[in-house]
PDB file of all heavy atoms in Angstrom:
ATOM      1  N   GLY A  14     -30.997  -1.823  79.426  1.00 96.00           N
ATOM      2  CA  GLY A  14     -31.843  -0.926  80.127  1.00 96.00           C
ATOM      3  C   GLY A  14     -32.043   0.383  79.366  1.00 96.00           C
ATOM      4  O   GLY A  14     -31.715   0.516  78.202  1.00 96.00           O
ATOM      5  N   GLN A  15     -32.657   1.396  80.030  1.00 95.00           N
ATOM      6  CA  GLN A  15     -32.804   2.694  79.478  1.00 95.00           C
ATOM      7  C   GLN A  15     -33.438   2.710  78.078  1.00 95.00           C
ATOM      8  O   GLN A  15     -33.006   3.362  77.153  1.00 95.00           O
ATOM      9  CB  GLN A  15     -31.443   3.427  79.391  1.00 95.00           C
ATOM     10  CG  GLN A  15     -30.717   3.523  80.703  1.00 95.00           C
ATOM     11  CD  GLN A  15     -31.419   4.422  81.707  1.00 95.00           C
ATOM     12  OE1 GLN A  15     -31.975   5.394  81.324  1.00 95.00           O
ATOM     13  NE2 GLN A  15     -31.358   4.023  82.971  1.00 95.00           N
ATOM     14  N   ASN A  16     -34.478   1.862  77.954  1.00 95.00           N
ATOM     15  CA  ASN A  16     -35.244   1.786  76.711  1.00 95.00           C
ATOM     16  C   ASN A  16     -34.485   1.144  75.547  1.00 95.00           C
ATOM     17  O   ASN A  16     -34.800   1.373  74.362  1.00 95.00           O
ATOM     18  CB  ASN A  16     -35.815   3.146  76.285  1.00 95.00           C
ATOM     19  CG  ASN A  16     -36.707   3.735  77.299  1.00 95.00           C
ATOM     20  OD1 ASN A  16     -37.626   3.105  77.786  1.00 95.00           O
ATOM     21  ND2 ASN A  16     -36.515   4.999  77.630  1.00 95.00           N
ATOM     22  N   THR A  17     -33.424   0.426  75.849  1.00 98.00           N
ATOM     23  CA  THR A  17     -32.716  -0.347  74.820  1.00 98.00           C
ATOM     24  C   THR A  17     -33.427  -1.643  74.549  1.00 98.00           C
ATOM     25  O   THR A  17     -34.329  -2.035  75.256  1.00 98.00           O
ATOM     26  CB  THR A  17     -31.246  -0.592  75.213  1.00 98.00           C
ATOM     27  OG1 THR A  17     -31.280  -1.368  76.439  1.00 98.00           O
ATOM     28  CG2 THR A  17     -30.534   0.701  75.440  1.00 98.00           C
ATOM     29  N   LEU A  18     -33.007  -2.312  73.503  1.00 98.00           N
ATOM     30  CA  LEU A  18     -33.640  -3.548  73.083  1.00 98.00           C
ATOM     31  C   LEU A  18     -33.470  -4.681  74.065  1.00 98.00           C
ATOM     32  O   LEU A  18     -32.398  -4.894  74.629  1.00 98.00           O
ATOM     33  CB  LEU A  18     -33.153  -3.995  71.720  1.00 98.00           C
ATOM     34  CG  LEU A  18     -33.785  -5.231  71.102  1.00 98.00           C
ATOM     35  CD1 LEU A  18     -35.211  -5.002  70.683  1.00 98.00           C
ATOM     36  CD2 LEU A  18     -32.954  -5.742  69.909  1.00 98.00           C
ATOM     37  N   SER A  19     -34.529  -5.402  74.318  1.00 98.00           N
ATOM     38  CA  SER A  19     -34.474  -6.627  75.131  1.00 98.00           C
ATOM     39  C   SER A  19     -34.385  -7.858  74.214  1.00 98.00           C
ATOM     40  O   SER A  19     -35.241  -8.058  73.377  1.00 98.00           O
ATOM     41  CB  SER A  19     -35.757  -6.726  76.014  1.00 98.00           C
ATOM     42  OG  SER A  19     -35.784  -7.943  76.753  1.00 98.00           O
ATOM     43  N   VAL A  20     -33.319  -8.586  74.363  1.00 98.00           N
ATOM     44  CA  VAL A  20     -33.016  -9.708  73.481  1.00 98.00           C
ATOM     45  C   VAL A  20     -33.279 -11.007  74.235  1.00 98.00           C
ATOM     46  O   VAL A  20     -32.633 -11.326  75.257  1.00 98.00           O
ATOM     47  CB  VAL A  20     -31.552  -9.699  73.006  1.00 98.00           C
ATOM     48  CG1 VAL A  20     -31.308 -10.857  72.021  1.00 98.00           C
ATOM     49  CG2 VAL A  20     -31.233  -8.348  72.350  1.00 98.00           C
ATOM     50  N   PRO A  21     -34.222 -11.864  73.762  1.00 98.00           N
ATOM     51  CA  PRO A  21     -34.525 -13.104  74.468  1.00 98.00           C
ATOM     52  C   PRO A  21     -33.411 -14.171  74.287  1.00 98.00           C
ATOM     53  O   PRO A  21     -32.857 -14.280  73.228  1.00 98.00           O
ATOM     54  CB  PRO A  21     -35.862 -13.558  73.858  1.00 98.00           C
ATOM     55  CG  PRO A  21     -35.778 -12.986  72.458  1.00 98.00           C
ATOM     56  CD  PRO A  21     -35.048 -11.683  72.578  1.00 98.00           C
ATOM     57  N   MET A  22     -33.202 -14.924  75.334  1.00 98.00           N
ATOM     58  CA  MET A  22     -32.255 -16.092  75.221  1.00 98.00           C
ATOM     59  C   MET A  22     -32.806 -17.158  74.271  1.00 98.00           C
ATOM     60  O   MET A  22     -32.045 -18.014  73.858  1.00 98.00           O
ATOM     61  CB  MET A  22     -31.968 -16.687  76.603  1.00 98.00           C
ATOM     62  CG  MET A  22     -31.216 -15.785  77.570  1.00 98.00           C
ATOM     63  SD  MET A  22     -29.599 -15.229  76.933  1.00 98.00           S
ATOM     64  CE  MET A  22     -29.941 -13.593  76.304  1.00 98.00           C
ATOM     65  N   LYS A  23     -34.091 -17.034  73.948  1.00 98.00           N
ATOM     66  CA  LYS A  23     -34.630 -17.937  72.946  1.00 98.00           C
ATOM     67  C   LYS A  23     -33.903 -17.817  71.590  1.00 98.00           C
ATOM     68  O   LYS A  23     -33.910 -18.763  70.822  1.00 98.00           O
ATOM     69  CB  LYS A  23     -36.150 -17.646  72.732  1.00 98.00           C
ATOM     70  CG  LYS A  23     -37.033 -18.064  73.915  1.00 98.00           C
ATOM     71  CD  LYS A  23     -38.475 -17.773  73.610  1.00 98.00           C
ATOM     72  CE  LYS A  23     -39.362 -18.197  74.746  1.00 98.00           C
ATOM     73  NZ  LYS A  23     -40.810 -17.882  74.529  1.00 98.00           N
ATOM     74  N   LEU A  24     -33.265 -16.644  71.347  1.00 98.00           N
ATOM     75  CA  LEU A  24     -32.514 -16.474  70.139  1.00 98.00           C
ATOM     76  C   LEU A  24     -31.469 -17.580  70.052  1.00 98.00           C
ATOM     77  O   LEU A  24     -31.275 -18.210  68.975  1.00 98.00           O
ATOM     78  CB  LEU A  24     -31.852 -15.102  70.133  1.00 98.00           C
ATOM     79  CG  LEU A  24     -31.063 -14.658  68.909  1.00 98.00           C
ATOM     80  CD1 LEU A  24     -31.019 -13.118  68.872  1.00 98.00           C
ATOM     81  CD2 LEU A  24     -29.642 -15.194  68.902  1.00 98.00           C
ATOM     82  N   PHE A  25     -30.763 -17.832  71.162  1.00 98.00           N
ATOM     83  CA  PHE A  25     -29.645 -18.792  71.132  1.00 98.00           C
ATOM     84  C   PHE A  25     -30.152 -20.216  71.205  1.00 98.00           C
ATOM     85  O   PHE A  25     -29.568 -21.141  70.629  1.00 98.00           O
ATOM     86  CB  PHE A  25     -28.660 -18.468  72.230  1.00 98.00           C
ATOM     87  CG  PHE A  25     -28.208 -17.048  72.168  1.00 98.00           C
ATOM     88  CD1 PHE A  25     -28.736 -16.105  73.054  1.00 98.00           C
ATOM     89  CD2 PHE A  25     -27.350 -16.606  71.201  1.00 98.00           C
ATOM     90  CE1 PHE A  25     -28.347 -14.756  72.961  1.00 98.00           C
ATOM     91  CE2 PHE A  25     -26.932 -15.267  71.095  1.00 98.00           C
ATOM     92  CZ  PHE A  25     -27.451 -14.359  71.989  1.00 98.00           C
ATOM     93  N   GLN A  26     -31.264 -20.396  71.911  1.00 98.00           N
ATOM     94  CA  GLN A  26     -31.881 -21.714  71.930  1.00 98.00           C
ATOM     95  C   GLN A  26     -32.332 -22.123  70.530  1.00 98.00           C
ATOM     96  O   GLN A  26     -32.167 -23.278  70.128  1.00 98.00           O
ATOM     97  CB  GLN A  26     -33.094 -21.697  72.913  1.00 98.00           C
ATOM     98  CG  GLN A  26     -32.725 -21.521  74.360  1.00 98.00           C
ATOM     99  CD  GLN A  26     -33.895 -21.262  75.254  1.00 98.00           C
ATOM    100  OE1 GLN A  26     -35.018 -20.926  74.770  1.00 98.00           O
ATOM    101  NE2 GLN A  26     -33.737 -21.362  76.545  1.00 98.00           N
ATOM    102  N   GLU A  27     -32.870 -21.183  69.798  1.00 98.00           N
ATOM    103  CA  GLU A  27     -33.291 -21.447  68.420  1.00 98.00           C
ATOM    104  C   GLU A  27     -32.084 -21.785  67.518  1.00 98.00           C
ATOM    105  O   GLU A  27     -32.110 -22.667  66.705  1.00 98.00           O
ATOM    106  CB  GLU A  27     -34.039 -20.293  67.863  1.00 98.00           C
ATOM    107  CG  GLU A  27     -34.498 -20.387  66.431  1.00 98.00           C
ATOM    108  CD  GLU A  27     -35.611 -21.381  66.244  1.00 98.00           C
ATOM    109  OE1 GLU A  27     -36.251 -21.790  67.241  1.00 98.00           O
ATOM    110  OE2 GLU A  27     -35.868 -21.773  65.081  1.00 98.00           O
ATOM    111  N   ASN A  28     -31.006 -20.999  67.730  1.00 98.00           N
ATOM    112  CA  ASN A  28     -29.771 -21.283  66.937  1.00 98.00           C
ATOM    113  C   ASN A  28     -29.225 -22.667  67.210  1.00 98.00           C
ATOM    114  O   ASN A  28     -28.794 -23.390  66.309  1.00 98.00           O
ATOM    115  CB  ASN A  28     -28.730 -20.224  67.230  1.00 98.00           C
ATOM    116  CG  ASN A  28     -29.006 -18.864  66.564  1.00 98.00           C
ATOM    117  OD1 ASN A  28     -29.835 -18.812  65.690  1.00 98.00           O
ATOM    118  ND2 ASN A  28     -28.281 -17.877  66.986  1.00 98.00           N
ATOM    119  N   ARG A  29     -29.198 -23.035  68.497  1.00 98.00           N
ATOM    120  CA  ARG A  29     -28.706 -24.395  68.829  1.00 98.00           C
ATOM    121  C   ARG A  29     -29.629 -25.502  68.245  1.00 98.00           C
ATOM    122  O   ARG A  29     -29.100 -26.492  67.698  1.00 98.00           O
ATOM    123  CB  ARG A  29     -28.645 -24.570  70.372  1.00 98.00           C
ATOM    124  CG  ARG A  29     -27.620 -23.655  70.988  1.00 98.00           C
ATOM    125  CD  ARG A  29     -27.335 -24.060  72.438  1.00 98.00           C
ATOM    126  NE  ARG A  29     -28.432 -23.886  73.333  1.00 98.00           N
ATOM    127  CZ  ARG A  29     -28.710 -22.836  74.097  1.00 98.00           C
ATOM    128  NH1 ARG A  29     -27.886 -21.751  73.982  1.00 98.00           N
ATOM    129  NH2 ARG A  29     -29.721 -22.777  74.918  1.00 98.00           N
TER     130      ARG A  29
END
Side-chain angles (χ1 to χ4, degrees):
Q15 304 295 323
N16 299 312
T17 60
L18 182 69
S19 177
V20 182
M22 293 301 101
K23 288 181 181 179
L24 184 157
F25 307 103
Q26 293 170 345
E27 179 70 16
N28 285 347
R29 294 194 293 268

